[in-house]
């Protein structure tokens, strides 16, 4: 009876273990993508659980020498815990570059866990080396100067401190030629001079990092091109001077035209082209900057007088009346004798003199009136201009 119970318990225990471990597949195709000290572990997992549960992953690492201890004392360090992504970044774990480590991954659901899958990793041996962080070209006479910057780790330190026997492969060629015809130069220095090149010629350069111990090589850097220098001839100096002279002339012409256009625009805005009357301009030039109207003196005569038709008709009427009076006086005094004739002639002369004086006064008053009207018109023009 007790034996049957024992067998039943063992059966159910094995069944539970098979449910926990046997039904969930493990991750596959563990791959490390590395560059200098950047390490990313990736894996594949394309299976589905029976209950369509969400699958998460846990990634750990341990130094290989610690695996020689009993299982209970092994201290695996978790880097990614229950992540959905099928990748884990080990860059910031501080793995010793010359050490040997074990990296493992496990798949989990709410009720099941897969078996661990692990790989070995030695950064010095397995990590890829990167190209130079930068390449700079400087042109010199009959050659080029090449400045190569070392690859950098995740803390921006030179990889030369970690990689032994690092050197560089430099390829250079004329820009118009094929890269297959490039010349090769091996060097361990970060500063290289390429001499005896053709003058005033464009050259292109690419650089590759190489590690001799494990025979690791990086990809090539970006292509950099520049022109070599040379001696400056008299013809080139003359051409440079001529080009600079033309450019200076064009610049001066543009500035002059722009200044003139600006001047014309400002002048048309602040000083519009409106002509003032001549007498206002004369008084303004003679006395002050502001126009000032003067009261005309009595002895001033008008230069031009316009008499309207009504005035002309009135003058004609007065003259006709005067002639009629003179004629009547002559008829009335025809028989008066010599004395009457003399009196009439004196009276006529007096009246003619008075009429001439009256006409002169009338003409002077009209001239003054016209001059005042012109002054008033001038004042109105000045006010309009000020507004």
């Amino acid at each position: 009876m007790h034996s049957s119970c024992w067998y039943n318990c063992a059966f159910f225990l094995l069944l539970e273990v098979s449910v926990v471990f046997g039904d969930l597949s493990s991750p596959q195709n563990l791959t490390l993508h590395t560059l200098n000290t950047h390490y990313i572990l990736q894996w594949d997992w394309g299976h589905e659980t029976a209950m369509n549960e969400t699958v998460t992953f846990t990634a750990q690492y341990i130094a290989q020498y610690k695996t020689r201890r009993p299982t209970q004392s092994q201290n695996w360090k978790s880097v990614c815990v229950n992540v959905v992504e099928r990748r884990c970044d080990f860059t910031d774990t501080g793995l010793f570059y010359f050490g040997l480590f074990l990296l493992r991954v496990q798949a989990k659901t709410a009720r099941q866990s897969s078996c661990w899958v692990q790989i070995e990793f030695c950064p010095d041996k397995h990590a890829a080396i990167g190209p130079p962080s930068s390449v700079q070209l400087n042109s010199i006479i009959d050659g080029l100067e090449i400045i190569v910057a070392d690859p950098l780790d995740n803390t921006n330190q030179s990889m030369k401190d970690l990689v032994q026997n690092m050197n560089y492969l430099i390829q250079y060629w004329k820009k118009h030629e094929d890269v297959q015809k490039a010349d090769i130069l091996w060097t361990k220095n970060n500063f290289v001079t390429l001499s005896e090149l053709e003058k005033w010629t464009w050259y292109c350069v690419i650089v590759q990092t190489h590690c001799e111990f494990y025979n690791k090589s990086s990809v090539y850097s970006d292509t950099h091109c520049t022109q070599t220098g040379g001696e400056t001839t008299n013809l080139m100096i003359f051409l440079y001077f001529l080009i600079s002279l033309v450019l200076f002339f064009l610049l001066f012409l543009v500035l002059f035209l722009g200044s003139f256009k600006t001047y014309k625009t400002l002048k048309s805005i602040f000083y519009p082209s409106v002509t003032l009357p001549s007498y206002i301009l004369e008084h303004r030039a003679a006395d002050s900057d502001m126009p000032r109207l003067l009261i005309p003196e009595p002895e001033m005569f008008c230069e031009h007088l316009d008499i309207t038709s009504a005035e002309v008709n009135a003058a004609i009427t007065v003259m006709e009346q005067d002639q009629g009076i003179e004629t009547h006086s002559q008829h009335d005094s025809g028989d008066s004798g010599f004395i009457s004739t003399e009196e009439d002639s004196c009276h006529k002369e007096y009246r003619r003199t008075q009429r001439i004086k009256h006409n002169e006064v009338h003409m002077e008053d009209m001239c003054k009136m016209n001059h005042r009207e012109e002054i008033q018109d001038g004042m109105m023009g000045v006010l309009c201009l000020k507004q």
Side-chain angles (χ1 to χ4, degrees):
M1 183 68 180
H2 293 286
S3 61
S4 62
C5 291
W6 173 256
Y7 286 123
N8 289 333
C9 292
F11 174 77
F12 285 111
L13 182 60
L14 293 174
L15 181 63
E16 185 178 356
V17 171
S18 65
V19 170
V20 174
F21 291 101
D23 293 342
L24 191 62
S25 301
S26 301
Q28 299 176 356
N29 300 327
L30 271 66
T31 307
L32 270 168
H33 296 273
T34 61
L35 183 65
N36 297 332
T37 58
H38 297 268
Y39 319 124
I40 296 177
L41 179 64
Q42 292 184 344
W43 57 87
D44 296 332
W45 198 86
H47 302 280
E48 298 293 338
T49 61
M51 301 300 294
N52 290 326
E53 295 176 320
T54 302
V55 179
T56 59
F57 304 93
T58 300
Q60 299 176 341
Y61 77 95
I62 191 174
Q64 190 180 34
Y65 73 91
K66 293 182 179 181
T67 59
R68 300 187 184 96
R69 301 174 184 176
T71 306
Q72 292 80 6
S73 62
Q74 294 180 5
N75 185 18
W76 289 82
K77 295 182 179 180
S78 298
V79 180
C80 299
V81 179
N82 297 329
V83 296
V84 180
E85 297 84 3
R86 299 172 188 178
R87 62 191 300 273
C88 184
D89 192 350
F90 284 79
T91 300
D92 297 329
T93 56
L95 298 180
F96 183 54
Y97 193 76
F98 301 100
L100 183 59
F101 301 90
L102 293 178
L103 281 60
R104 68 180 185 178
V105 182
Q106 182 187 52
K108 290 183 178 182
T109 62
R111 297 185 305 169
Q112 297 175 320
S113 298
S114 70
C115 297
W116 290 96
V117 181
Q118 66 184 23
I119 61 172
E120 289 185 356
F121 176 55
C122 177
D124 183 33
K125 181 178 180 180
H126 300 133
I129 191 69
S133 56
S134 68
V135 177
Q136 181 180 350
L137 301 182
N138 294 327
S139 176
I140 60 175
I141 297 177
D142 299 340
L144 294 174
E145 290 180 348
I146 304 176
I147 302 175
V148 181
D150 297 330
L152 302 177
D153 60 8
N154 62 309
T155 60
N156 292 328
Q157 299 297 322
S158 174
M159 287 296 296
K160 266 189 177 180
D161 299 334
L162 300 174
V163 178
Q164 303 297 323
N165 299 322
M166 179 188 294
N167 51 29
Y168 299 105
L169 172 63
I170 300 176
Q171 295 189 24
Y172 59 96
W173 68 97
K174 294 181 181 179
K175 189 174 182 179
H176 63 274
E177 293 181 351
D178 191 0
V179 67
Q180 301 298 330
K181 299 180 180 180
D183 295 324
I184 297 176
L185 175 65
W186 288 93
T187 181
K188 293 183 179 181
N189 301 322
N190 295 93
F191 183 84
V192 179
T193 301
L194 301 179
S195 59
E196 298 182 358
L197 301 179
E198 295 184 9
K199 300 178 182 179
W200 306 110
T201 305
W202 281 86
Y203 282 88
C204 295
V205 175
I206 55 176
V207 184
Q208 181 187 52
T209 307
H210 185 74
C211 178
E212 294 182 358
F213 189 80
Y214 289 105
N215 197 23
K216 295 189 298 185
S217 297
S218 71
V219 297
Y220 283 98
S221 65
D222 295 335
T223 303
H224 299 269
C225 300
T226 190
Q227 187 181 24
T228 59
E231 297 179 357
T232 305
T233 61
N234 295 331
L235 178 60
M236 296 182 65
I237 295 175
F238 175 75
L239 291 177
Y240 291 154
F241 173 75
L242 185 62
I243 293 173
S244 60
L245 187 63
V246 172
L247 292 177
F248 176 77
F249 175 76
L250 294 177
L251 179 62
F252 175 78
L253 184 62
V254 170
L255 293 177
F256 175 78
L257 293 178
S259 302
F260 182 75
K261 184 66 176 180
T262 304
Y263 168 75
K264 294 290 288 185
T265 303
L266 294 177
K267 183 178 179 181
S268 63
I269 293 174
F270 295 102
Y271 300 96
S273 57
V274 178
T275 305
L276 297 176
S278 59
Y279 53 85
I280 295 179
L281 295 176
E282 291 177 357
H283 293 307
R284 180 178 180 181
D287 296 338
S288 63
D289 293 337
M290 296 299 295
R292 183 174 61 187
L293 301 179
L294 300 177
I295 300 175
E297 298 178 358
E299 63 271 16
M300 292 179 62
F301 296 95
C302 60
E303 297 179 355
H304 179 71
L305 179 64
D306 294 332
I307 301 176
T308 60
S309 59
E311 295 172 351
V312 174
N313 294 332
I316 294 174
T317 304
V318 172
M319 293 176 66
E320 290 178 353
Q321 291 177 359
D322 293 339
Q323 291 179 0
I325 293 172
E326 292 177 359
T327 305
H328 180 71
S329 299
Q330 290 177 1
H331 286 292
D332 291 340
S333 60
D335 298 330
S336 299
F338 178 73
I339 296 174
S340 298
T341 301
E342 289 181 354
E343 291 178 356
D344 292 338
S345 61
C346 291
H347 182 68
K348 185 188 299 183
E349 185 67 23
Y350 173 77
R351 292 176 61 184
R352 184 180 300 171
T353 304
Q354 292 295 327
R355 186 169 60 252
I356 291 173
K357 290 182 179 180
H358 176 73
N359 291 335
E360 289 178 354
V361 172
H362 181 68
M363 292 287 289
E364 184 176 357
D365 292 338
M366 292 181 64
C367 183
K368 291 180 180 180
M369 184 180 298
N370 290 335
H371 188 66
R372 290 194 186 95
E373 290 179 356
E374 289 182 358
I375 293 175
Q376 290 178 0
D377 293 340
M379 288 289 292
M380 292 299 293
V382 172
L383 293 175
C384 292
L385 288 176
K386 290 184 178 180
Q387 292 177 358

